[in-house]
Amino acid sequence: MAVVSDKVNLSSMPAVRRRTSPAFDQGFRWASYGSALIVLSVLAGIIGTMMYGGWPAFREFGFGFITSSAWNVGKDQYGAWVAIAGTLTSALIALVIGVPISLGIAIFLTQLCPPWLRRPVSTVIELLAAVPSIIYGMWGLFVFAPLFAKYVQMPLTSIVEGMPILGTVLYARVPSGVGMMTAGIILAIMIIPFIASITRDILDQIPTVLRESAYGIGCTTWEVVRHVLLPQAGVSIIGAVMLGLGRALGETMAVTFVIGNANRLSLSLFDPSSTIASRIANEFNEASGMQMNALLALGCILFVVTFIVLALARLLIARVKTH
């Protein structure tokens, strides 16, 4: 029987790396702290500038600046509610449309897609994320909006006209193709690449043994996705959705092209409206006095809305982790 020697051949072991000097460690630590502080300082500077510039509007109109729908430059009457409602509504439409499609793309690429097709589809999805937002806006205005008006708004308006609820929500008084729904669809197209790419990478990182074990006990593909993949990747998928939501809330140029830019609060999803970002983009260059203060106040509100959404996302992630 062979005897295993207890002796260790020290010459075959790699040389032990010398310990770095404490001064270098301390410098690296302070450099890391400095990098974090730079980000916080820039963020504090941005919010401080917007609060300072928007404070005259808050002081002049009080809480009514948030609840009022008036926006009259000639009379110096400003209210943010239409822009706030438009921002939240367009982002919600984008999530309702974009999240299921993104999850479907990620599941297809990781579970059902043939190997020869996976790389081309993944490349196309990633290329969509690199398209500038103004290109989406121009395409939406000149290509998508006319088609949407002709093949969706006009037929749907003739069908739902006179109905109690649908006749209000899906009725287009002027079927021009631009409006809240068009903006939400364009935003959905813009956030799909982000959510789909992140979700695909997350699903790829799930250990293969979990999927093989589920298939081994007779689970179908749907059962594997529903009971194995989604629970394992739930927290990360929520993070990907929140990243897409942040893109939708702050998008400017694409929405400016297709939302109609009307200071109108309507129950119809086909009517023109506006968002905080689109109103700032349209009026900032020519603004002065109280109008400039109102626009800066809108920027401050958008910052607060985004912060609240991200805080709620953190709470949701924490609840998912505890379960």
Side-chain angles (χ1 to χ4, degrees):
M1 183 176 64
V3 178
V4 179
S5 175
D6 294 334
K7 295 181 180 181
V8 179
N9 187 3
L10 297 178
S11 60
S12 63
M13 296 180 61
V16 179
R17 186 170 58 87
R18 296 181 59 184
R19 179 177 177 82
T20 310
S21 64
F24 182 84
D25 288 342
Q26 190 67 18
F28 176 75
R29 180 176 301 176
W30 283 111
S32 301
Y33 286 160
S35 300
L37 290 176
I38 287 174
V39 176
L40 294 177
S41 300
V42 171
L43 186 61
I46 293 173
I47 185 62
T49 301
M50 289 190 299
M51 291 183 65
Y52 178 79
W55 176 247
F58 289 121
R59 182 179 56 194
E60 176 71 20
F61 304 107
F63 189 73
F65 179 76
I66 299 177
T67 59
S68 174
S69 300
W71 192 273
N72 192 324
V73 178
K75 297 182 179 179
D76 264 352
Q77 295 178 353
Y78 303 101
W81 179 244
V82 174
I84 295 173
T87 301
L88 297 177
T89 304
S90 59
L92 179 62
I93 294 173
L95 288 184
V96 170
I97 298 174
V99 171
I101 296 176
S102 302
L103 294 179
I105 292 173
I107 293 171
F108 172 74
L109 290 176
T110 56
Q111 304 300 315
L112 303 172
C113 184
W116 62 269
L117 185 60
R118 181 175 181 179
R119 184 175 294 276
V121 174
S122 300
T123 303
V124 171
I125 295 298
E126 293 170 355
L127 286 177
L128 286 176
V131 177
S133 60
I134 192 171
I135 301 300
Y136 282 109
M138 295 173 64
W139 174 81
L141 179 63
F142 295 112
V143 178
F144 180 78
L147 295 176
F148 188 68
K150 182 178 181 180
Y151 295 105
V152 177
Q153 285 187 345
M154 291 181 181
L156 197 58
T157 298
S158 62
I159 293 174
V160 302
E161 186 175 5
M163 293 185 180
I165 297 177
L166 294 179
T168 301
V169 178
L170 299 178
Y171 181 79
R173 287 178 287 185
V174 181
S176 60
V178 298
M180 183 66 69
M181 179 62 74
T182 305
I185 294 174
I186 297 298
L187 286 176
I189 297 174
M190 295 179 68
I191 67 175
I192 282 174
F194 295 93
I195 302 177
S197 297
I198 296 174
T199 305
R200 179 205 60 196
D201 294 337
I202 293 166
L203 295 180
D204 276 338
Q205 294 176 6
I206 296 177
T208 308
V209 64
L210 295 178
R211 285 173 283 189
E212 292 178 349
S213 300
Y215 284 121
I217 61 175
C219 292
T220 62
T221 303
W222 162 248
E223 291 172 335
V224 171
V225 172
R226 172 65 181 84
H227 299 289
V228 178
L229 299 183
L230 293 183
Q232 289 290 324
V235 174
S236 300
I237 292 175
I238 293 174
V241 172
M242 290 304 106
L243 179 62
L245 177 59
R247 173 77 187 271
L249 288 173
E251 179 53 44
T252 304
M253 294 310 301
V255 175
T256 304
F257 272 90
V258 299
I259 200 170
N261 301 304
N263 188 53
R264 180 186 303 169
L265 195 61
S266 175
L267 294 177
S268 176
L269 297 177
F270 291 153
D271 282 345
S273 186
S274 63
T275 64
I276 294 176
S278 66
R279 179 159 296 171
I280 294 174
N282 281 321
E283 302 185 12
F284 194 82
N285 286 336
E286 301 176 356
S288 61
M290 185 57 68
Q291 184 184 7
M292 175 64 73
N293 299 134
L295 293 177
L296 290 173
L298 282 178
C300 187
I301 291 174
L302 180 59
F303 182 90
V304 173
V305 169
T306 306
F307 178 80
I308 292 174
V309 169
L310 294 179
L312 293 176
R314 296 291 298 179
L315 292 176
L316 181 60
I317 290 174
R319 287 179 60 87
V320 172
K321 285 183 177 180
T322 55
H323 291 80

